[in-house]
Amino acid sequence: MVLTKETGFIDHEKIYEYLANTKPPERSEVEEILSHARELKGISFEETEKLLLVEDDELLEEIFKTANYIKNEIYGKRLVLFAPLYVSNLCNNDCVYCGFRVSNRKLKRATLTIEQVKEEIKSLVSQGHKRVLLVSGEGLGESALDYTIKCIEAIYSTKVGNGEIRRINVNIAPLSVEGFKRLKEAKIGTYQLFQETYHYPTYKKVHPRGPKSDYLYHLTAMDRAFKAGIDDVGVGILFGLYDYKFEILALLQHIRHLEKEFGLGPHTISVPRIEPADGAPLSYEPPYPVSDKEFKKIIALLRITVPYTGIILSTRETPEMRREAFSLGVSQISAGSRTNPGGYSSKDAGEQFSLGDHRTIDEVIYDVCKLGYIPSFCTGCYRLGRTGLDFMDLAKPGLIKLYCLPNAITTFKEYLVDYASAETREIGNKLIANMINEIPHEKIREKTVKYLQRIEKGERDLYF
Ligand code: SAM
Ligand code: SF4
């Protein structure tokens, strides 16, 4: 495909035309699409485009129920947990929604030393975390990649008691193909980058200066990551900047482009909504706020359209919204997060935005268990090389339950033995006893029970 100079493969005219000229679908059509969705193979993007126009409350309820069915059939009751690790809030960009923007002179700036990174990791591991998302502003210039790689090496090599970080996902400024190759060699999990908005005029307005103001370079980051051999990439939209319907239609174009060029779509989709950030006036009054109802519709539609793609929800959202979102299809959540560099080992650099969920990881886990979900710290697929297309092959109905559920159970057991409060341990052990019966294969069920006994005796990191 030939990229146009400004907007690349995002066909703005086509989206404008669709939104201006298409009526919401009739009930019968919605029902037909939803019954197709229940076959668990995903629906066509044309079908998603139709569902996106549904506004009727009763039909929306049907969409939510279908998303819930798909989520249960494919993922069961498992929820993967992670924590973001902010290593630097220096930034040369001026994204008008972000507290780290260069023109925010009041923000206390910091870049962690490698020793400080290790302190942060000690704190996170001591809380029970096994997966981190390394996040950084774009202010380190030429040394940024070397620094990131040193951080990754320090994180993987920091062991605390029985625990360590076993997977590092990365959300940093886009790189060249060569840069991405180095990131891959450092053994990252997923490379994440949010387009923020696919709408070119809005993108230019909210990214007035700095390297990030180049829409096309940002948009084509995942192409370069794939070319460099990174096969798990995570995309995202910052909801509130522009019309969510435009954004979803453009996201579908992005996914279609990646599938066509590389045979594979994104591994995860993140759905942040703008949160208030000191020094970023737009964040207090986003131009296109997304209501809770619309937000639920977005999550449900993504779950229905790409059933095997992870959906990530952060602590930007309140506990109430997070609970609802689990049932609609969210598969990964952050917990106990801090968005300021050094925040876990109590340094006081400025935060990126304020959080909606301030609970500790143990409080989140207790709540998740009470809702009947099993927290997972699994890093098995990535470490066994089940990434990219291999992961997608595994992610057929039933197979996630076969591997991911036992791995959720064993990693959660480690958490319960090593880190949990008495209340969480009690509710968690009961949950595990019930969940074991849901493992569909007898041999794997028996092996999981044996793994649990070995974990009780002190062994760690047992997985399928
Ligand atoms: N600097 C890199 C970048 O901008 O892509 C990566 C890190 S940036 C800290 C991570 C994400 O935070 C951004 O992609 C943006 O979507 C999100 N973010 C920025 N300001 C936010 C706000 N006020 N509320 C919610 N999310 C925000
Ligand atoms: Fe910098 Fe990223 Fe914040 Fe933009 S969103 S100001 S690039 S940290």
Side-chain angles (χ1 to χ4, degrees):
M1 178 189 282
V2 181
L3 300 184
T4 63
K5 196 169 129 277
E6 293 182 329
T7 57
F9 43 80
I10 302 300
D11 189 339
H12 285 51
E13 290 307 321
K14 193 170 167 192
I15 301 177
Y16 293 145
E17 202 184 299
Y18 179 79
L19 289 177
N21 300 326
T22 319
K23 289 204 187 78
E26 299 292 330
R27 168 174 281 275
S28 59
E29 202 175 357
V30 173
E31 281 169 355
E32 201 179 309
I33 297 172
L34 294 181
S35 89
H36 181 200
R38 282 169 179 262
E39 290 167 20
L40 306 178
K41 295 190 192 100
I43 57 176
S44 71
F45 288 172
E46 288 72 24
E47 288 174 314
T48 309
E49 287 165 9
K50 286 184 185 154
L51 292 186
L52 187 64
L53 302 181
V54 170
E55 304 288 355
D56 175 86
D57 280 345
E58 271 180 37
L59 288 179
L60 278 179
E61 239 359 274
E62 293 304 314
I63 293 177
F64 297 160
K65 274 191 211 148
T66 307
N68 178 250
Y69 170 81
I70 292 172
K71 148 101 192 184
N72 283 335
E73 284 301 303
I74 293 180
Y75 293 85
K77 288 289 185 186
R78 151 190 164 276
L79 263 182
V80 171
L81 262 72
F82 72 95
L85 173 68
Y86 281 70
V87 292
S88 173
N89 63 8
L90 268 64
C91 198
N92 294 328
N93 291 312
D94 206 9
C95 313
V96 297
Y97 45 80
C98 177
F100 292 173
R101 62 195 296 226
V102 65
S103 60
N104 183 9
R105 308 261 178 250
K106 288 202 187 123
L107 188 83
K108 194 162 172 203
R109 305 277 171 175
T111 299
L112 299 184
T113 63
I114 296 302
E115 275 317 304
Q116 287 172 328
V117 170
K118 287 184 184 168
E119 287 307 309
E120 291 285 273
I121 291 302
K122 282 180 195 159
S123 171
L124 285 170
V125 171
S126 310
Q127 292 169 37
H129 281 291
K130 298 282 187 285
R131 303 166 67 114
V132 293
L133 171 66
L134 188 154
V135 186
S136 174
E138 192 173 355
L140 297 177
E142 302 262 294
S143 64
L145 184 55
D146 288 340
Y147 170 74
T148 305
I149 289 172
K150 279 196 195 122
C151 288
I152 293 172
E153 286 165 359
I155 297 169
Y156 278 137
S157 64
T158 303
K159 192 158 169 76
V160 191
N162 280 332
E164 67 277 300
I165 295 299
R166 298 173 184 159
R167 176 177 176 136
I168 305 171
N169 298 333
V170 173
N171 186 333
I172 58 167
L175 300 167
S176 63
V177 175
E178 284 313 307
F180 278 127
K181 278 188 185 156
R182 291 190 57 205
L183 208 53
K184 181 182 161 67
E185 277 163 21
K187 301 202 176 351
I188 62 158
T190 307
Y191 172 69
Q192 265 190 18
L193 185 74
F194 307 158
Q195 183 61 27
E196 323 294 9
T197 172
Y198 286 97
H199 187 243
Y200 181 78
T202 304
Y203 189 93
K204 293 307 272 184
K205 222 186 296 167
V206 299
H207 303 109
R209 60 188 72 84
K212 192 166 167 181
S213 60
D214 187 339
Y215 176 98
L216 199 54
Y217 188 72
H218 204 81
L219 181 70
T220 49
M222 297 318 181
D223 296 57
R224 294 191 297 282
F226 273 136
K227 281 183 190 148
I230 292 178
D231 53 5
D232 280 353
V233 301
V235 298
I237 294 165
L238 184 59
F239 287 104
L241 294 176
Y242 190 60
D243 176 8
Y244 79 91
K245 289 183 183 157
F246 181 98
E247 303 290 13
I248 294 294
L249 294 172
L251 173 68
L252 295 178
Q253 291 189 359
H254 193 177
I255 297 175
R256 198 179 272 144
H257 165 80
L258 294 176
E259 285 177 346
K260 186 164 159 256
E261 298 294 319
F262 305 98
L264 184 66
H267 183 64
T268 56
I269 300 175
S270 296
V271 290
R273 283 195 285 188
I274 296 182
E275 289 299 319
D278 275 351
L282 176 134
S283 67
Y284 287 92
E285 267 181 87
Y288 289 84
V290 166
S291 69
D292 287 353
K293 190 159 97 180
E294 288 163 341
F295 192 56
K296 283 163 56 182
K297 175 171 153 188
I298 290 166
I299 295 172
L301 282 186
L302 293 176
R303 179 44 64 241
I304 290 174
T305 309
V306 280
Y308 301 106
T309 301
I311 302 180
I312 303 180
L313 194 71
S314 76
T315 46
R316 291 173 181 85
E317 297 296 334
T318 59
E320 294 71 35
M321 177 44 77
R322 276 155 61 96
R323 286 182 197 118
E324 285 202 67
F326 300 161
S327 74
L328 294 171
V330 163
S331 55
Q332 294 189 25
I333 58 165
S334 50
S337 305
R338 300 278 179 280
T339 65
N340 52 329
Y344 299 109
S345 42
S346 76
K347 304 281 174 316
D348 62 350
E351 65 178 8
Q352 189 196 12
F353 49 79
S354 51
L355 301 175
D357 184 345
H358 300 269
R359 296 169 301 168
T360 63
I361 179 174
D362 198 69
E363 288 164 343
V364 172
I365 287 186
Y366 182 85
D367 193 38
V368 162
C369 292
K370 233 169 92 190
L371 294 167
Y373 293 96
I374 177 146
S376 173
F377 295 91
C378 176
T379 53
C381 278
Y382 148 73
R383 288 156 80 214
L384 292 171
R386 291 191 300 244
T387 59
L389 278 176
D390 289 342
F391 173 81
M392 285 301 169
D393 282 347
L394 175 88
K396 302 258 161 62
L399 277 182
I400 288 196
K401 281 189 186 164
L402 194 57
Y403 290 99
C404 302
L405 180 57
N407 286 344
I409 291 174
T410 55
T411 54
F412 184 40
K413 183 70 182 177
E414 288 187 4
Y415 175 84
L416 294 178
V417 175
D418 289 336
Y419 309 105
S421 63
E423 292 91 353
T424 302
R425 193 168 298 143
E426 191 187 334
I427 194 171
N429 278 325
K430 278 191 195 142
L431 186 73
I432 286 182
N434 288 335
M435 285 287 167
I436 286 193
N437 300 321
E438 295 200 10
I439 300 174
H441 194 285
E442 197 187 328
K443 287 243 158 60
I444 294 194
R445 208 162 45 234
E446 285 169 9
K447 200 164 171 190
T448 307
V449 172
K450 289 206 177 103
Y451 275 0
L452 291 178
Q453 290 160 353
R454 285 167 59 185
I455 291 167
E456 295 263 11
K457 288 191 186 133
E459 273 188 75
R460 293 290 173 272
D461 207 11
L462 303 170
Y463 58 96
F464 295 88

